[in-house]
Amino acid sequence: MLDELPTLGQPPQVMDRCKLSGCLGQLDMPVSVCLTSRHDTPHLTSIAGLRADNNCGGSTGTCDHLSPEWRSHPCNNGRVHLTKPQARRIILAAQGIGHHRDQPVGMRQLQSAINRLGQFQIDSVNVLARAHLMPMYTRFGAYDPLLLKRAAQQSPRRLFEYWGHAASLIDIDLYPAFQFRRDRARAESWGRMQALADAHPEIIDTVLTMIQGHGPATARDLDLGERRTRDNWGWNWSNAKTALEWLNWSGQVAIAGRNSQFERLYDAPGRVIPRQYLDATASWANAQPDDHARLTHQAHVTLIRRAATALGVATLACLRDYFRTALAPTRAAIADLEAAGELLPVSIDGLSGPAWLWHEARHPRTIQGSTLVSPFDSLVFERSRLAAFFDIDYRIGIYTPKTQRTHGYYVYLLLVDERFAARVDLKADRRSGRLLVQSAWLEPDSGVPRSRVISELVTELGRLTGWLGVGDIHVAEKGDLATDLAKHL
């Protein structure tokens, strides 16, 4: 509240004028103010609380937006200053973390997450639950995964599968913005796809004709008469699979969904993508170079805007990484959004480079509650960001040889309020109907008492078993939390 403003040595009448001006709205935590001889009214130099109330009625308009006049004030050199805890709370709020879980979850809640996050990363490893299913659980607790399947595979489609941060279910509203990536398939797709398209265009044409006539289909459904081998580690794609991936990258086919084996089902775009989104890409088809450059820039502005919305506070690297955009167009998009007042320059304790605050970001006083976060969640999928803002060095384990793993194979983080307080290597043993805690580790520098970490982890594992439909929890004797955790279950 305004009566909590620090005095900073100002005379009482200065504080009175600040209260009467109305431009700050109703803040839930202190803000810093300063005076210069050019201004007889205090101006914000840092934000420490929730964003201002929409109905403040001040002379600068709604208080959800910081005015250009404020940003250019000589006291702050155009930058908001944030402590690291403030930045963490903004990040968590932007990601939809901190509201009450275990309320009924329907399509409305799913759509709110889509609007907020923009994408759910997909991964083929299924140790506990599919990666794209976990973000909704992290934010809302137990929910019906069929909601996500409906949103991605049934009309009206709310999601489409494409390359965002990685393979992801992406907000259907962003389909037109990814046209630049489809247009650059020959330059940016993987080498094997390019090689096949260049050396054997007839295979590409044959596969496209088959999908147009017989889709949706998996790569295994298409018989090109080739002999498959398993002589290489990793992906051993057939020519049909490689052709389908090329056609998907370039937008000539789309992914209609996944089958029970989690294989992609490919189909003609007109049978997958709603017509209004296909029509929105028509201007790209015969665009002249200048028009194509303009459309590409607009697409990057759209994607960086959505990235900033999801991140709350971000560096250049964070904004680039969210949808894996190139450096130059990301810089240009940031410049446009900063000029429009949508991205606000900020300085953050402990970070030396430039950073930005999304202009509509919430500024919570606290974040309360606990939740498990999966390795592919957009809160943590950029590990350098996680280290910079949350002071945690996190690796999943699945890409590390077993003898070199520190915490386990498929490691989840336990978030308690604003800090990551534990790591647990989890597996759903569906054959025995058990949740396996293969290791459990305390984060020593989280500041969360050990007793609370154990209590919150017990609660969270119980919630998880209900959602997964497994019964008992078995804790292996590995990790400095394992023994105490087992005693409390």
Side-chain angles (χ1 to χ4, degrees):
M1 295 183 184
L2 293 181
D3 58 3
E4 296 174 353
L5 285 167
T7 61
L8 298 180
Q10 302 102 314
Q13 63 269 26
V14 171
M15 301 305 296
D16 291 340
R17 283 200 300 272
C18 185
K19 292 179 184 179
L20 292 173
S21 69
C23 67
L24 301 183
Q26 184 67 37
L27 297 176
D28 288 338
M29 279 192 69
V31 296
S32 299
V33 296
C34 69
L35 289 176
T36 72
S37 59
R38 297 171 56 198
H39 298 272
D40 63 356
T41 304
H43 289 255
L44 291 170
T45 58
S46 69
I47 299 177
L50 291 170
R51 69 178 173 180
D53 188 272
N54 284 338
N55 300 315
C56 65
S59 59
T60 60
T62 63
C63 292
D64 287 335
H65 306 271
L66 301 178
S67 69
E69 292 79 8
W70 175 82
R71 286 185 282 110
S72 63
H73 188 271
C75 292
N76 54 29
N77 296 318
R79 288 185 183 274
V80 179
H81 179 75
L82 297 171
T83 65
K84 194 174 284 188
Q86 290 167 348
R88 281 196 289 264
R89 291 192 289 270
I90 292 169
I91 288 167
L92 292 170
Q95 282 282 304
I97 304 291
H99 57 71
H100 188 62
R101 298 166 77 206
D102 299 326
Q103 298 294 320
V105 179
M107 195 59 74
R108 181 168 171 266
Q109 286 72 31
L110 174 57
Q111 186 62 58
S112 73
I114 294 170
N115 294 343
R116 183 185 298 277
L117 304 178
Q119 61 182 338
F120 303 110
Q121 186 175 341
I122 298 170
D123 187 73
S124 59
V125 178
N126 187 21
V127 176
L128 183 75
R130 297 286 185 190
H132 63 287
L133 301 178
M134 283 301 300
M136 283 293 291
Y137 173 83
T138 294
R139 288 152 182 80
F140 294 99
Y143 77 102
D144 184 355
L146 289 177
L147 279 173
L148 207 57
K149 185 174 182 179
R150 279 174 47 202
Q153 299 188 24
Q154 297 178 19
S155 181
R157 285 183 186 265
R158 301 165 188 262
L159 297 161
F160 73 105
E161 183 175 339
Y162 192 61
W163 299 103
H165 177 79
S168 304
L169 292 175
I170 303 172
D171 185 351
I172 192 66
D173 286 344
L174 293 176
Y175 182 84
F178 280 96
Q179 188 60 38
F180 83 93
R181 186 160 289 168
R182 292 186 284 269
D183 284 355
R184 291 186 57 82
R186 190 167 294 277
E188 296 183 356
S189 62
W190 300 331
R192 181 169 180 178
M193 297 184 207
Q194 296 177 29
L196 184 67
D198 291 340
H200 297 286
E202 73 282 1
I203 294 179
I204 303 293
D205 292 342
T206 297
V207 169
L208 178 58
T209 299
M210 294 171 77
I211 289 295
Q212 289 172 336
H214 304 288
T218 69
R220 288 192 299 116
D221 294 331
L222 306 185
D223 182 8
L224 300 182
E226 58 186 307
R227 180 175 174 270
R228 297 289 305 279
T229 65
R230 289 281 180 182
D231 52 359
N232 292 313
W233 179 88
W235 293 344
N236 286 270
W237 284 0
S238 66
N239 284 338
K241 172 65 173 176
T242 303
L244 285 167
E245 287 299 316
W246 161 259
L247 290 166
N248 175 57
W249 197 305
S250 60
Q252 298 175 73
V253 303
I255 298 172
R258 299 267 183 157
N259 65 11
S260 58
Q261 288 76 46
F262 208 59
E263 296 171 296
R264 284 174 167 169
L265 292 162
Y266 303 86
D267 206 348
R271 296 195 288 262
V272 176
I273 306 300
R275 174 50 55 187
Q276 67 265 34
Y277 298 107
L278 293 173
D279 290 345
T281 67
S283 57
W284 293 74
N286 298 305
Q288 296 301 308
D290 287 349
D291 289 333
H292 197 277
R294 175 182 53 81
L295 290 168
T296 299
H297 173 67
Q298 290 174 349
H300 280 82
V301 170
T302 296
L303 293 177
I304 299 305
R305 178 182 287 119
R306 289 298 296 271
T309 302
L311 295 171
V313 176
T315 64
L316 171 62
C318 301
L319 293 168
R320 282 189 66 194
D321 184 74
Y322 203 76
F323 289 115
R324 299 291 171 88
T325 50
L327 178 59
T330 301
R331 286 188 186 277
I334 290 172
D336 272 17
L337 292 168
E338 185 176 337
E342 296 182 58
L343 281 177
L344 308 176
V346 294
S347 60
I348 302 169
D349 287 347
L351 272 69
S352 58
W356 291 268
L357 168 71
W358 178 241
H359 70 130
E360 292 182 333
R362 292 176 51 236
H363 301 247
R365 181 187 303 175
T366 61
I367 296 288
Q368 296 182 335
S370 300
T371 191
L372 284 169
V373 182
S374 72
F376 298 104
D377 194 293
S378 55
L379 176 62
V380 302
F381 61 32
E382 190 197 345
R383 308 297 195 240
S384 60
R385 170 180 171 86
L386 191 63
F389 287 100
F390 290 90
D391 305 311
I392 183 170
D393 183 14
Y394 174 49
R395 297 294 182 270
I396 180 176
I398 62 176
Y399 306 117
T400 305
K402 185 175 182 178
T403 57
Q404 299 177 24
R405 293 175 196 148
T406 302
H407 297 101
Y409 178 71
Y410 207 93
V411 180
Y412 285 74
L413 293 174
L414 177 72
L415 181 71
V416 178
D417 297 340
E418 303 165 16
R419 300 305 300 262
F420 290 103
R423 308 182 196 213
V424 283
D425 182 11
L426 299 176
K427 178 179 180 178
D429 187 341
R430 293 168 178 84
R431 180 172 296 180
S432 66
R434 296 187 302 170
L435 175 63
L436 306 182
V437 182
Q438 303 187 111
S439 69
W441 307 84
L442 183 72
E443 282 300 305
D445 300 322
S446 72
V448 182
R450 181 185 182 91
S451 59
R452 186 175 177 211
V453 174
I454 294 171
S455 174
E456 298 290 354
L457 187 52
V458 167
T459 299
E460 191 60 30
L461 293 175
R463 178 185 287 115
L464 188 60
T465 58
W467 182 55
L468 295 174
V470 297
D472 295 337
I473 301 173
H474 173 74
V475 182
E477 295 180 0
K478 183 177 181 180
D480 55 8
L481 274 181
T483 300
D484 286 345
L485 178 62
K487 289 178 181 177
H488 287 80
L489 283 170

